[in-house]
Amino acid sequence: LLFESPDQSPLHVPVLLEETMEIIAPKSGDVLLDCTVGTGGHSVEFLKRSAPDGKVIALDRDDEMLRLAREQFERHNVDATRYQLICGNYEDLEAILARLGSISIDAVLIDCGLSSAALDAGERGMSFLRDGPLLLVYERDAQYTAEDLVNTMAEDELSAIIRRLGEERNARRIARAIVAARREKRITRTVELAQIVSKVVPRPMHPKRIHPATKTFLAIRMFLNRELEALRAGVPAALRVVKPNGKVLVISYQSQEDRIVKQVFNEAARACVCPPEQPVCTCGGKPRFRVLTPKPISPTRNEIERNPRSRSAKLRAIEKIV
Ligand SMILES: C[S@@+](CC[C@H](N)C(=O)[O-])C[C@H]1O[C@@H](n2cnc3c(N)ncnc32)[C@H](O)[C@@H]1O
């Protein structure tokens, strides 16, 4: 079994759950588009609070997550008419919704990144702690994986990706070590890569509680799965599909993700659409969105203690006002 929790603890603890629900304020009859259902933590809570008639359209690009989400819904005795599970990338959410016919969406949630369920299953090839094939891709049939990347990419490009997406100060050193290691032997396992990285990240630089390979793995995963590109396309699409008075919420875990969300939200909430060089507004524009989180919401100390993986989370939300 790929996904098994030995002590029955949840496979993934939903992040900022209460804060998210407070903003969505679910009511019976509401529809949530959960773009990243994972093991269904946020969706189940929404379904409980929007009983008896609330519905979820649940997307995930990882088909295994959809199976786990279905199990979760069944475990909570949610009527099967109240959810739809769809395998897909949320960057295509408009095309996906178009196939479902006209549905009024009250809230859209994007909870970026990786589910702990996938991270903790070594065989999924996502973890620097558990041995497995070196994959780092959400789609299990992906043709190009982390193994291909670390064994073929030019050192400079590798270093640039690790620095840019992982915000890793030791990127150059890490890229050099990867290239030296692959000359000896093809790198094929997650822990092999983790060891290569750990050897060249100086000990005093290890941030507290963070494994030295964390940022390198994050960078390679984000690159392979085009995660920033999905967000850049997906957030504006979410703003287009949500109904008036509906809300869009994004939980991000990396500063570049948060920057994209902030920019798209601020741009959407701008009333005036005159060119920036024009000294006086002539468009008389009215804002179509209202940012609900001028500053992003972060997990409390208590939540971080209970779930250290929530530590970098930032929640931003916006409401459509026309
Ligand atoms: C952090 S988890 C979501 C956890 C979920 N909110 C819960 O409480 O269980 C993120 C999920 O999004 C999926 N994912 C990542 N990028 C995606 C994309 N562009 N489109 C659809 N799903 C995506 C991942 O496979 C993963 O299952």
Side-chain angles (χ1 to χ4, degrees):
L1 256 185
L2 272 184
F3 297 98
E4 205 174 26
S5 167
D7 56 358
Q8 297 295 307
S9 56
L11 291 167
H12 176 93
V13 181
V15 170
L16 291 165
L17 183 62
E18 199 48 51
E19 292 82 348
T20 307
M21 291 301 136
E22 233 166 71
I23 294 174
I24 297 178
K27 301 185 302 301
S28 179
D30 282 358
V31 177
L32 168 68
L33 171 62
D34 185 346
C35 293
T36 51
V37 71
T39 54
H42 289 96
S43 276
V44 162
E45 195 57 35
F46 173 87
L47 287 163
K48 278 191 204 159
R49 298 189 191 202
S50 65
D53 284 331
K55 289 195 171 65
V56 167
I57 301 167
L59 311 184
D60 206 293
R61 63 193 288 187
D62 179 342
D63 59 357
E64 195 61 23
M65 289 301 135
L66 298 175
R67 185 179 69 74
L68 294 172
R70 181 187 299 281
E71 274 179 20
Q72 182 79 344
F73 296 155
E74 287 172 356
R75 200 170 304 133
H76 286 84
N77 296 318
V78 180
D79 194 289
T81 56
R82 296 183 61 204
Y83 56 86
Q84 254 175 303
L85 296 159
I86 300 164
C87 191
N89 189 319
Y90 67 71
E91 73 181 336
D92 304 321
L93 68 89
E94 282 172 300
I96 293 169
L97 286 178
R99 285 200 288 275
L100 301 180
S102 69
I103 298 176
S104 168
I105 307 284
D106 297 278
V108 183
L109 173 65
I110 299 177
D111 181 11
C112 297
L114 186 63
S115 166
S116 296
L119 185 64
D120 292 338
E123 278 310 302
R124 279 307 306 270
M126 295 278 198
S127 169
F128 40 76
L129 291 176
R130 289 168 208 240
D131 191 32
L134 187 50
L135 302 176
L136 289 172
V137 284
Y138 294 107
E139 284 91 359
R140 283 178 302 156
D141 57 355
Q143 296 301 306
Y144 186 78
T145 66
E147 177 178 333
D148 300 308
L149 184 142
V150 299
N151 285 293
T152 58
M153 187 173 267
E155 184 177 323
D156 280 354
E157 209 181 332
L158 203 49
S159 160
I161 288 169
I162 297 171
R163 175 167 313 105
R164 184 170 58 86
L165 295 174
E167 295 168 338
E168 168 65 72
R169 281 195 286 169
N170 302 292
R172 187 171 293 279
R173 208 180 282 170
I174 292 169
R176 199 179 308 136
I178 290 173
V179 170
R182 78 190 187 198
R183 275 200 207 105
E184 302 291 316
K185 175 195 165 296
R186 189 170 170 86
I187 307 164
T188 60
R189 309 292 293 178
T190 48
V191 292
E192 253 183 281
L193 178 62
Q195 279 161 7
I196 293 164
V197 175
S198 303
K199 274 194 202 136
V200 295
V201 176
R203 285 281 148 189
M205 278 185 167
H206 289 179
K208 263 192 273 166
R209 295 195 298 179
I210 294 185
H211 186 283
T214 307
K215 294 178 170 187
T216 302
F217 273 62
L218 171 72
I220 295 176
R221 193 199 79 209
M222 290 184 70
F223 176 81
L224 284 172
N225 297 288
R226 302 177 56 260
E227 293 187 32
L228 294 181
E229 289 82 347
L231 203 55
R232 249 183 233 117
V235 180
L239 298 181
R240 288 192 290 271
V241 302
V242 77
K243 71 167 211 193
N245 299 322
K247 290 160 187 165
V248 175
L249 297 87
V250 185
I251 305 175
S252 66
Y253 298 85
Q254 192 257 14
S255 66
Q256 286 173 78
E257 287 176 340
D258 183 54
R259 203 169 309 141
I260 291 173
V261 182
K262 181 178 166 183
Q263 273 171 2
V264 175
F265 280 9
N266 285 346
E267 179 67 20
R270 214 156 52 97
C272 166
V273 291
C274 295
E277 60 278 8
Q278 193 173 302
V280 183
C281 169
T282 51
C283 75
K286 290 208 168 63
R288 297 173 53 241
F289 288 89
R290 184 163 63 95
V291 173
L292 302 173
T293 49
K295 286 221 162 67
I297 299 175
S298 299
T300 58
R301 206 176 311 147
N302 192 355
E303 175 168 0
I304 297 173
E305 258 163 39
R306 276 186 288 116
N307 178 18
R309 285 178 186 168
S310 70
R311 66 182 170 257
S312 55
K314 288 200 161 68
L315 166 65
R316 290 186 187 269
I318 193 166
E319 181 178 21
K320 201 179 241 187
I321 53 179
V322 285

